[in-house]
Amino acid sequence: MSCICSISSISSFSSPRKSVSKPPIFQCSLPGNFLPGTVVEPKTASVAEPLLLNAVRGEDVERPPVWLMRQAGRYMKSYQIICEKYPSFRERSENVDLVVEISLQPWNVFKPDGVILFSDILTPLSGMNIPFDIVKGKGPVIFNPLRTAADVDQVREFFPEESVPYVGESLTILRKEVDNKAAVLGFVGAPFTLASYVVEGGSSKHFSKIKRLAFSQPKVLHALLQKFAISMAKYIQYQADNGAQAVQIFDSWATELSPVDFEEFSLPYLKQIVDTVRRTHPNLPLILYASGSGGLLERLALTGVDVVSLDWTVDMAEGRRRLGPDMAVQGNVDPGVLFGSKDFITNRINDVVRKAGKGKHILNLGHGIVVGTPEENVAHFFEVAKGIRY
């Protein structure tokens, strides 16, 4: 069996900088004896549902849906203008009007198949009695890092409708604005990643503080992880109730753990979140992303999520084989490719789509868009991606 992906020119649209050149016409095919894209028998797509949801559920789609992590952000001139007027990240991410405007910026220009809420995985922390800020040039800062059992005892359960009502309001507006022409995406941080930030006091290179806690006082860390698991499950449910049609879970730092430690400090809590959400929202697609996850792919699938998002260090065909035909995948073009020529970008997109095969694939980067990425190259990425036909 082979999959033919023909990419043809489509009408150019304007970007904030300049018009986009049309991608070259070419074809790609999979070798007959190589089946990375073998998936369960496709079902007929529902025209009422966004393409992204149909693809995740294994329905028959004409092309892979496409969106990009950090598609709303600093590479866009329109976002930079907002940053000049509102320099505080928290102000931009906690004001309904600004959240909606920023979330819609890439939608208005590129028309991706997924429109993700502009927010941050740390947004719930204030509602859990963990004061923080996100400082320009430094990143997240936790004012009182958690290091002891007494610190963890002070962490409150998260009630999103009380602590972050602007998230629900923003999602509701986004659903109306996008009008089912794309899927509205929410997201949360995974327990171990959130714990890493609040124990380390911010970003970290060596994760020595969280590992010291894990290996010397595991009961304390487990107590913190349990609080995050309960709260993030509730946060996903809240986002879904207010308009999110799929939710991505970011376990960015879980890959700092060895496989045996991942099985103790991350996997059980991810499974708990998925199981809790499944009881109330059985049809909500859940996507899991962990950067540098090549050594943990099979374990990521054990969480029960619908989609595993691959970073660019994993060959897409190998990822498909390792995850099996029932698991949808997302990714995984290297973000650095967007600094290349348009032909180079086109070829790399084509390579990923060919290796993913037909169905159950969301085209994306293997990480977020890098600051300084040429906006016209992002426009080209979307134009090529939306011109693909299986």
Side-chain angles (χ1 to χ4, degrees):
M1 172 180 145
S2 65
C3 172
I4 305 297
C5 308
S6 64
I7 300 181
S8 58
S9 297
I10 59 177
S11 299
S12 297
F13 51 85
S14 60
S15 75
R17 293 190 183 183
K18 62 182 181 180
S19 62
V20 184
S21 60
K22 296 182 179 180
I25 300 174
F26 64 94
Q27 290 186 325
C28 65
S29 61
L30 291 173
N33 61 350
F34 183 49
L35 304 174
T38 301
V39 293
V40 294
E41 189 68 25
K43 297 168 284 185
T44 303
S46 169
V47 293
E49 292 275 31
L51 178 66
L52 187 146
L53 302 186
N54 289 332
V56 170
R57 292 167 182 159
E59 297 177 357
D60 192 15
V61 293
E62 65 178 7
R63 63 172 175 86
V66 56
W67 70 281
L68 302 182
M69 287 183 276
R70 293 183 185 165
Q71 65 187 14
R74 289 175 287 177
Y75 73 97
M76 294 191 77
K77 180 62 177 175
S78 54
Y79 179 74
Q80 295 169 17
I81 292 172
I82 290 180
C83 290
E84 291 172 3
K85 188 174 181 180
Y86 303 97
S88 166
F89 179 89
R90 289 197 60 182
E91 182 178 9
R92 296 193 297 273
S93 62
E94 297 177 14
N95 175 293
V96 174
D97 291 338
L98 293 176
V99 169
V100 171
E101 180 179 355
I102 294 169
S103 300
L104 289 176
Q105 284 179 341
W107 167 249
N108 292 331
V109 179
F110 309 123
K111 290 295 187 287
D113 297 301
V115 176
I116 192 164
L117 175 76
F118 179 76
S119 187
D120 193 86
I121 63 171
L122 302 185
T123 293
L125 294 187
S126 292
M128 299 182 73
N129 195 33
I130 306 173
F132 80 102
D133 200 1
I134 298 177
V135 180
K136 183 177 181 179
K138 187 174 183 180
V141 175
I142 308 300
F143 296 129
N144 302 300
L146 310 184
R147 307 280 167 76
T148 67
D151 293 337
V152 174
D153 287 341
Q154 298 302 308
V155 177
R156 296 194 301 257
E157 187 175 345
F158 181 54
F159 295 97
E161 62 278 1
E162 298 175 6
S163 301
V164 293
Y166 49 86
V167 168
E169 292 175 38
S170 299
L171 286 167
T172 299
I173 295 171
L174 288 173
R175 273 296 295 273
K176 292 178 181 178
E177 291 290 330
V178 176
D179 193 29
N180 238 27
K181 295 180 178 68
V184 172
L185 309 176
F187 69 93
V188 303
F192 181 79
T193 290
L194 294 174
S196 295
Y197 278 111
V198 303
V199 172
E200 295 287 339
S203 300
S204 177
K205 288 185 177 181
H206 304 293
F207 297 87
S208 57
K209 296 179 179 65
I210 185 75
K211 290 189 176 183
R212 180 183 294 116
L213 187 63
F215 302 148
S216 65
Q217 301 180 73
K219 289 184 179 180
V220 174
L221 180 55
H222 280 300
L224 178 59
L225 293 169
Q226 180 63 17
K227 289 190 174 187
F228 278 133
I230 293 171
S231 294
M232 291 309 104
K234 189 175 297 185
Y235 194 24
I236 292 174
Q237 292 165 329
Y238 171 77
Q239 292 186 29
D241 288 342
N242 284 276
Q245 294 166 285
V247 176
Q248 180 153 313
I249 304 169
F250 286 89
D251 207 352
S252 309
W253 305 130
T255 51
E256 293 295 326
L257 294 168
S258 68
V260 66
D261 293 320
F262 175 83
E263 290 176 356
E264 178 175 355
F265 296 109
S266 182
L267 180 58
Y269 300 101
L270 290 168
K271 290 178 69 174
Q272 179 180 332
I273 290 172
V274 173
D275 291 343
T276 300
V277 173
R278 288 278 184 260
R279 287 195 288 271
T280 57
H281 300 76
N283 298 317
L284 178 72
L286 297 175
I287 306 167
L288 177 59
Y289 175 78
S291 180
S293 60
L296 297 173
L297 279 189
E298 291 82 359
R299 290 171 174 82
L300 296 183
L302 296 177
T303 60
V305 296
D306 302 281
V307 186
V308 171
S309 190
L310 306 178
D311 74 274
W312 73 93
T313 65
V314 179
D315 182 83
M316 177 56 78
E318 293 177 7
R320 275 290 209 191
R321 282 200 300 267
R322 291 171 61 186
L323 290 168
D326 294 327
M327 178 63 70
V329 294
Q330 179 174 269
N332 67 337
V333 178
D334 183 344
V337 165
L338 293 177
F339 289 98
S341 69
K342 288 181 171 58
D343 283 349
F344 184 74
I345 294 169
T346 299
N347 290 337
R348 286 302 181 90
I349 292 170
N350 181 74
D351 181 64
V352 166
V353 172
R354 178 180 64 85
K355 289 178 176 177
K358 182 178 181 180
K360 286 208 164 189
H361 174 222
I362 302 170
L363 181 61
N364 205 315
L365 299 177
H367 199 278
I369 297 178
V370 179
V371 177
T373 298
E375 196 167 341
E376 61 267 26
N377 285 1
V378 176
H380 180 74
F381 187 101
F382 278 110
E383 184 173 13
V384 172
K386 296 181 77 173
I388 291 171
R389 294 295 179 268
Y390 285 130

